[in-house]
Amino acid sequence: MLRSRGLLVLCLGLGLAKPPPEKRDRVHHGQELSDHPHDDRQGFQYDHEAFLGKEQAKTFDQLTPEESRERLGKIVDRIDRDRDGFVTQGELKDWIKHTQNRYIFENVQKNWRDYDRDGDGRIAWPEFKNATYGYYEGEEFGDLEDKQSYRKMLARDERRFKAADRDGDMVATREEFTAFLHPEEFDYMKDIVVTETIEDIDKNGDGYVQVDEYIGDMYTPESGEPEPEWVQSERQQFLDFRDLDRDGRLDRAEIGHWILPQDYDHPEVEAKHLLYESDKDKDQRLTKQEILDNWNMFVGSQATNYGEDLTRKHDEL
């Protein structure tokens, strides 16, 4: 079974005469934690979605205060990974990153059985290779017309698998396999993301990205068509912001700066906020009780607010 991964197929241009008409964006942007304003005076919906993830926040919206506090207590036990009875800023940040990337872990979980053929809880390179390419030794894509393209895809996958495999045994744990499928989310995979980007864009094979290669990755002109304004703007972006040393081309460092920018660290800022607002004794760490005492900021719900509104209106009568 040849599994179609959009990233590889698009990168190699299989079956595509030119890039899609919309502008292609290779930049991996920092993810917003919530669409709500981060203003505690207006409510804590931003904090709820940051701490729980958007889908889980909707679930908590339907719970009673008692149910919310009970579930929050169980979450705190999971956040406190070293079991020392305290939640640090780092542990809070890691939890927020986990909830925000839940869709990634769900995607890995959904596909895990396709690759873990022997059910041992790990995925060896041969398991992935056979499940993805239907590849068996001695048959190397024998029935496929475009053998060379698939050989390139296989070599690229093997290189990325090796990069994700931190202990070098060519057997991926769940975390390593997640890094393989979503390398842009892992700091230690940055180099392989840059390498693959250069391979995709560098048409003359010199190891750099020229301005025409940069534009060609997003736009293919029709015959006689004037260059759109957004393309002219991108040319200027290349000169002003991408080519940092002004040598007319992008090297590896400049490509990394472009596609993996050091964005505003939303999970870090939110972790600091939750810690500051809940740390009653100001020891820079939270007990479970401190978190439960401020449960409304972490997991308070519409059901809770509705009940408070009813009580307030009743008192006013």
Side-chain angles (χ1 to χ4, degrees):
M1 175 184 69
L2 180 61
R3 183 174 58 90
S4 173
R5 267 193 293 135
L7 175 64
L8 292 182
V9 173
L10 284 175
C11 288
L12 289 171
L14 301 178
L16 292 178
K18 63 179 182 178
E22 67 272 9
K23 175 183 171 183
R24 178 183 295 169
D25 186 3
R26 288 188 176 272
V27 180
H28 301 288
H29 300 281
Q31 186 177 353
E32 293 287 348
L33 305 183
S34 172
D35 296 329
H36 293 275
H38 196 187
D39 184 350
D40 293 346
R41 295 169 298 179
Q42 299 181 37
F44 299 129
Q45 197 62 31
Y46 180 99
D47 300 296
H48 301 163
E49 293 188 358
F51 182 73
L52 295 167
K54 292 182 180 180
E55 292 304 314
Q56 283 297 311
K58 292 178 183 177
T59 298
F60 271 77
D61 280 346
Q62 311 307 317
L63 302 178
T64 66
E66 293 75 20
E67 291 170 329
S68 291
R69 284 173 58 88
E70 181 182 357
R71 291 198 187 187
L72 176 59
K74 294 177 180 178
I75 290 174
V76 173
D77 292 337
R78 294 173 61 190
I79 297 174
D80 180 20
R81 291 176 306 180
D82 59 8
R83 302 291 188 268
D84 67 349
F86 297 96
V87 170
T88 65
Q89 181 178 305
E91 287 173 328
L92 265 178
K93 177 182 176 180
D94 288 345
W95 170 259
I96 292 169
K97 290 174 64 177
H98 172 78
T99 62
Q100 295 299 315
N101 289 331
R102 185 174 280 130
Y103 73 97
I104 291 176
F105 299 110
E106 288 175 350
N107 173 259
V108 173
Q109 175 65 26
K110 181 179 179 181
N111 293 288
W112 184 260
R113 291 181 182 177
D114 289 341
Y115 307 112
D116 182 17
R117 293 296 179 87
D118 59 11
D120 67 349
R122 302 188 302 167
I123 296 174
W125 167 247
E127 288 180 300
F128 173 82
K129 181 176 66 172
N130 292 337
T132 303
Y133 295 96
Y135 170 87
Y136 298 95
E137 191 162 356
E139 295 183 11
E140 199 170 308
F141 309 122
D143 296 331
L144 296 174
E145 293 182 7
D146 195 359
K147 297 181 181 64
Q148 190 58 34
S149 292
Y150 286 108
R151 289 188 185 115
K152 288 181 180 178
M153 289 172 67
L154 174 59
R156 182 162 165 152
D157 270 356
E158 184 172 12
R159 181 182 61 197
R160 189 195 286 191
F161 197 97
K162 287 180 179 178
D165 176 32
R166 305 190 82 164
D167 59 8
D169 63 357
M170 289 302 281
V171 180
T173 63
R174 192 174 295 264
E175 181 176 356
E176 289 171 336
F177 193 64
T178 303
F180 168 72
L181 291 179
H182 301 276
E184 69 281 354
E185 302 293 341
F186 292 78
D187 288 340
Y188 80 95
M189 295 292 286
K190 178 178 179 178
D191 190 63
I192 202 69
V193 175
V194 171
T195 295
E196 291 180 1
T197 301
I198 293 173
E199 289 178 348
D200 294 341
I201 304 177
D202 175 26
K203 301 306 180 185
N204 65 9
D206 66 352
Y208 298 89
V209 172
Q210 321 292 333
V211 65
D212 287 338
E213 292 170 330
Y214 172 82
I215 294 299
D217 183 54
M218 331 178 201
Y219 170 72
T220 300
E222 298 290 345
S223 178
E225 175 187 56
E227 193 168 81
E229 288 186 13
W230 72 262
V231 175
Q232 298 175 26
S233 175
E234 282 292 343
R235 288 187 183 277
Q236 197 61 44
Q237 287 274 329
F238 183 96
L239 297 173
D240 294 341
F241 302 108
R242 309 288 186 231
D243 182 17
L244 301 177
D245 61 7
R246 302 293 190 270
D247 67 350
R249 60 187 186 178
L250 305 186
D251 59 21
R252 293 187 64 87
E254 289 167 327
I255 291 169
H257 187 270
W258 161 40
I259 64 173
L260 297 166
Q262 296 300 309
D263 286 335
Y264 180 80
D265 193 336
H266 298 282
E268 176 79 15
V269 172
E270 178 63 8
K272 288 181 179 179
H273 173 65
L274 293 174
L275 178 67
Y276 177 81
E277 295 296 336
S278 306
D279 184 18
K280 296 293 181 61
D281 59 9
K282 303 304 177 185
D283 65 349
Q284 299 301 308
R285 56 186 184 175
L286 300 177
T287 63
K288 178 187 281 191
Q289 191 58 51
E290 284 177 317
I291 293 175
L292 292 177
D293 286 345
N294 198 26
W295 70 276
N296 198 35
M297 173 173 281
F298 286 85
V299 299
S301 65
Q302 291 180 359
T304 304
N305 296 335
Y306 178 68
E308 291 174 351
D309 289 343
L310 285 181
T311 302
R312 188 178 301 113
K313 290 178 181 178
H314 178 75
D315 291 341
E316 292 171 353
L317 292 178

